[in-house]
Structure formats: structure tokens, C-alpha cells
Amino acid sequence: MDELNHIANHISLVIGEQFKPTSVRSISGGCINTCLQLLGNNRSFFLKLNDKSRIDMYNAEAEGLETIVATQTIRAPAPIATGICESKAYLAMEFIDLRSGSTMRAAGTKLAEMHRATQELFGWVRDNTIGTTPQRNNQCEDWCSFWRDNRLSFQLRLAARNGYRGTLQDRGELLITFCSALIDHQPCPSLLHGDLWGGNIGFDRNNNPVIFDPAVYYGDRETDIAMTELFGGFSADFYRAYNEIWPLDPGYRTRKIFYNLYHILNHLNLFGGGYGTQAVGMINRLLAEVGH
Ligand code: ADP
């Protein structure tokens, strides 16, 4: 395939040696992209392909991976190259032979270490995507305003545009007015994975945890922990290890609902179905906390 030759040449330029793929393997498990393993000259790369309109998504993903790699905490694949060839956008990165791990302890420790990487402002230097939904990261000094404007209001407006009106919007609007009552702590802007469900973590050959497919920004570290709990939860040793390094602040249990509401609204916007009812249920639980 011409595209693969073009991409292999790009990879060769970046790594400073000739890379000629001799075999291509399809990798399953992704939700959005065509994923391939390119093998040749004892080297191996992981490649994502999509329509060329997705190039910004790939540039942002590459920058996010680079930011995580730079912390030298939890392992993430090093990005190699992004670009467009013919009708396709591509993102090439280090291939890591991923498997499931026997213990999540190191993942808890390493994630807490990554969260220690902070900056002054909430947000990020660029917007990215969560799934395929645009994720706005306008930088801001105040966490509560960041969350309200870039996360909750953004998804609610998108839901309205997608036709989800009525109770969701009425209760959602009311919830927006109670943001500061519900986010009643002052976190520091930690580097976040941003989309940390069980499908975005694995283990390398040496059993080191590896995170991938991030939606990076700087924010309350509790949002990452909350997401790990959204679809079944990680094992107890993960949370134990995380709390040994950096215990969660009091009030997390309520904020967790608030933070996961963002992902449920995003699922509503991406997939529809029962996520609307789930979102209204979460909004009602949060409003009940403040007497509404
Ligand atoms: P998508 O963006 O389409 O959701 P993912 O980034 O989740 O794709 O990747 C799809 C699958 O490929 C993952 O579930 C994981 O098993 C595997 N994978 C992801 N990144 C790498 C990598 N750098 N090296 C090897 N396998 C990877």
C-alpha cells in the first residue's frame, strides 16, 4: 500500500534509520481508528489510521502522549510521527506488547506520581478530543470555572444540539448554578490522562503499567480516579497504592459523580441510548446534595 510506504519513510526520517515494514498486523480493541502493527528490521510500530479530517485529533494525541512520556512516571507509548497521506491521517508510535497485569498496585503508584506533574493553570495548551468529541481546554486559574465552562456546559450544549432537551437541560442548567457548592475544594492542576477507563491501560512484558489513548489536560486528579470507577472499577490494590502516595481529599465521593457526569454526557452525545436517563439520575443525585 502506497500509504504505508509513505508512513514508513516518515518513521525512518524520525528514527534516523531505514524502516521497511515486512509485515502488517491488524490490532483489535480500538473504538475509533484502524489500528495496525508494522513490523520490519527487528523494529515494530503501532499505527492509527483514520480519515484525513482527523489530523488534529492525532496531533493532539501525539502531544498528549509526549507530555505523559516526559514525566518519566507511568509508561505511555512514545509518539513518532503524524501526518496525512492521500485520504488518510496517521499517527505512528512506539509499539508496546500489551497484556493484562496480575496486579494493579504499580499502576496506582505510577498514576499518583504522574499526577504530581503540575502546572499553574487548569486546562492545556491546546484542545483535543474525548472519544471523537471535541474537548475544550481553555486555560484558567479556577478549577470550578474550568469544569463548569469547558466540561459540563460544553457537553450540555452539545446534547441540546443533538436533540436532548427537556429535563436533562432544565436540571443541567440548575446544576451549573451549584458548581462551586459541589466542587468545594482547591485541587492543583495535575497532568491527567483524561480518559482512564480499563480499556486504556495495560501492562508491558516486564509487567510495568502502560496508559494509552489519552485526552490529556491539567485538572483535578480526582477526575482520573473517578473515571477508573465508572465502568466497574479497577482492583482494590490500585486505589490502596494510589492513596498511599497521595490520599484523595474528603468529599471525593460526591465530586466523583460530578466528574463522571462529563463522561456520561459525552457517551450520550456519542452513542445516545440510556445514557440520557443515567445523566439525569446523576444530576438529580448531585442536586439533592444541595437541597434541590
Ligand atoms: P482507539 O483510539 O481506536 O480507541 P486505542 O488507542 O484504544 O484505539 O488502541 C486500540 C488497541 O490497541 C488498544 O486496546 C491496545 O490493546 C492496543 N494498543 C494501543 N496502543 C498501543 C501501542 N502503542 N502498542 C501496542 N498496542 C497498542
Side-chain angles (χ1 to χ4, degrees):
M1 211 184 357
D2 277 355
E3 282 151 12
L4 290 187
N5 287 334
H6 172 103
I7 295 165
N9 285 338
H10 191 171
I11 293 173
S12 303
L13 265 174
V14 175
I15 65 172
E17 66 180 80
Q18 186 66 20
F19 172 65
K20 267 204 166 307
T22 48
S23 74
V24 179
R25 202 165 65 94
S26 177
I27 306 280
S28 59
C31 309
I32 296 165
N33 304 284
T34 302
C35 296
L36 303 172
Q37 180 185 12
L38 303 185
L39 297 120
N41 330 73
N42 291 320
R43 301 289 305 249
S44 175
F45 296 94
F46 183 76
L47 182 66
K48 290 189 178 188
L49 293 171
N50 210 317
D51 185 79
K52 66 179 178 192
S53 60
R54 297 283 185 200
I55 186 63
D56 277 351
M57 180 175 88
Y58 283 165
N59 285 333
E61 183 172 341
E63 206 170 321
L65 289 169
E66 191 72 65
T67 308
I68 295 175
V69 169
T71 65
Q72 298 185 324
T73 55
I74 193 162
R75 188 171 183 197
I80 310 278
T82 58
I84 290 178
C85 179
E86 308 280 341
S87 62
K88 294 271 187 278
Y90 60 88
L91 163 58
M93 66 183 85
E94 172 188 14
F95 182 88
I96 302 176
D97 193 5
L98 292 169
R99 56 208 55 212
S100 47
S102 50
T103 163
M104 290 292 284
R105 197 176 158 73
T109 305
K110 292 275 176 194
L111 184 72
E113 288 170 359
M114 186 187 91
H115 285 164
R116 292 274 190 213
T118 56
Q119 65 169 27
E120 284 197 0
L121 298 175
F122 297 100
W124 200 31
V125 286
R126 64 177 300 157
D127 294 344
N128 48 11
T129 51
I130 180 82
T132 50
T133 308
Q135 174 164 273
R136 236 177 49 181
N137 294 316
N138 293 347
Q139 303 208 72
C140 150
E141 277 179 6
D142 176 55
W143 169 242
C144 180
S145 319
F146 176 86
W147 186 259
R148 186 190 58 220
D149 301 342
N150 293 274
R151 296 291 179 266
L152 183 58
S153 299
F154 184 88
Q155 289 282 349
L156 277 172
R157 276 201 305 275
L158 191 57
R161 283 206 297 280
N162 287 334
Y164 304 110
R165 303 201 176 88
T167 311
L168 176 73
Q169 295 296 330
D170 297 344
R171 300 294 282 169
E173 283 301 319
L174 187 59
L175 181 65
I176 284 171
T177 65
F178 286 105
C179 273
S180 47
L182 287 159
I183 302 180
D184 56 349
H185 79 155
Q186 303 291 331
C188 55
S190 288
L191 178 63
L192 305 175
H193 177 282
D195 194 8
L196 197 57
W197 67 291
N200 285 342
I201 186 163
F203 294 82
D204 68 15
R205 280 166 190 272
N206 300 319
N207 221 18
N208 295 308
V210 181
I211 54 175
F212 46 90
D213 204 13
V216 155
Y217 65 103
Y218 287 82
D220 186 351
R221 65 202 173 95
E222 290 180 355
T223 59
D224 264 354
I225 302 299
M227 191 167 193
T228 67
E229 293 198 64
L230 185 55
F231 302 113
F234 291 7
S235 61
D237 52 352
F238 170 84
Y239 301 102
R240 211 173 297 121
Y242 185 94
N243 276 286
E244 277 168 22
I245 302 287
W246 197 356
L248 294 176
D249 294 338
Y252 163 71
R253 291 281 135 208
T254 302
R255 289 189 294 272
K256 177 178 89 168
I257 304 169
F258 208 11
Y259 294 155
N260 280 341
L261 175 59
Y262 172 61
H263 295 292
I264 294 301
L265 287 171
N266 187 41
H267 276 61
L268 174 66
N269 283 315
L270 289 171
F271 311 118
Y275 290 111
T277 312
Q278 192 176 350
V280 170
M282 291 167 92
I283 294 172
N284 284 339
R285 278 174 70 189
L286 289 164
L287 286 172
E289 293 280 333
V290 287
H292 287 264

